[in-house]
Amino acid sequence: MKVWKEIRGWLFSIGIAFILSLFIGIFVIQPYKVDGHSMDPTLHDRQRIYAEKWSHTLGNVPDYGDIVIIDSRVDRSRTFMDDIKEHPIIAMLTGESKQEIFFVKRLIGKPGDKIEIKEGKVYRNGQLLNEPYIKEQMVIGPDQVYNVPADHVFVMGDNRNNSKDSRMIGYIPLDHVMGIKGFFK
């Protein structure tokens, strides 16, 4: 009987640790891996970062210039079950890797903003952005104008000439902003 009581105590502790880990990963902080060179020189391919998730949990709009993790599947709605299935422990247990759907980008536009790309430079609401973080000036192409709709944001990579971002995939629904890169490395 004493052995069974000891085993039960350990199982209870492991269960609490598992539930706590899920809670922290879904609502507080979660690790992500940068995949590719779209955020060079700020972040590098395969670099691990930690995102604070309480902004996503509370539905807050990140600040201009924040590095955000987004779900690139903008053509579908997200549910709470997505957050659970995408938790690293659950993904490991089910054998599913969803890493390739998460993009790490910089927030350029909030709901209601007008983003213009002219002569390789980015303007927000008519103001030229000071972007010391970009790798190099964008290759000059045709001028582009984006009007960010309500409940969406506009994101771009720091390596503008090598980034799949809002210019290609469209506006990002706020519920697809999974987290903001935290102060942790």
Side-chain angles (χ1 to χ4, degrees), residues 39 42 65-67 104-108 133 154-156 158:
M39 286 301 291
T42 308
D66 280 350
I67 295 174
V104 180
K105 303 295 175 190
R106 190 173 298 274
L107 188 111
I108 302 298
Y133 43 77
F154 188 89
V155 298
M156 296 175 79
D158 289 356

Side-chain angles (χ1 to χ4, degrees), residues 34-103:
V34 177
D35 188 23
H37 297 279
S38 72
M39 286 301 291
D40 286 345
T42 308
L43 301 172
H44 306 288
D45 185 33
R46 308 197 64 70
Q47 181 176 347
R48 280 242 177 245
I49 60 173
Y50 293 90
E52 64 90 346
K53 306 238 347 203
W54 52 85
S55 294
H56 168 68
T57 302
L58 300 174
N60 297 339
V61 178
D63 290 328
Y64 294 121
D66 280 350
I67 295 174
V68 295
I69 293 83
I70 62 163
D71 178 343
S72 66
R73 303 169 297 175
V74 297
D75 56 343
R76 67 184 281 283
S77 296
R78 282 194 58 84
T79 66
F80 180 67
M81 283 306 295
D82 289 327
D83 288 332
I84 293 173
K85 288 189 286 188
E86 293 159 0
H87 186 281
I89 292 175
I90 300 297
M92 182 180 67
L93 292 174
T94 62
E96 290 188 40
S97 173
K98 300 280 187 193
Q99 187 68 34
E100 67 278 354
I101 65 169
F102 297 115
F103 292 0

Side-chain angles (χ1 to χ4, degrees), residues 116-123 134 136-144 156 160-162 167:
E116 297 175 90
I117 300 174
K118 299 188 278 190
E119 299 176 3
K121 295 182 180 358
V122 180
Y123 296 80
I134 64 172
E136 59 195 8
Q137 184 173 344
M138 279 187 284
V139 173
I140 298 177
D143 290 355
Q144 299 167 310
M156 296 175 79
R160 302 285 162 79
N161 295 319
N162 185 21
R167 295 171 291 170

Side-chain angles (χ1 to χ4, degrees), residues 5-23:
K5 192 174 184 180
E6 185 75 21
I7 290 172
R8 213 171 40 176
W10 276 101
L11 289 175
F12 179 76
S13 296
I14 291 169
I16 293 296
F18 181 76
I19 291 169
L20 187 60
S21 170
L22 283 178
F23 178 82

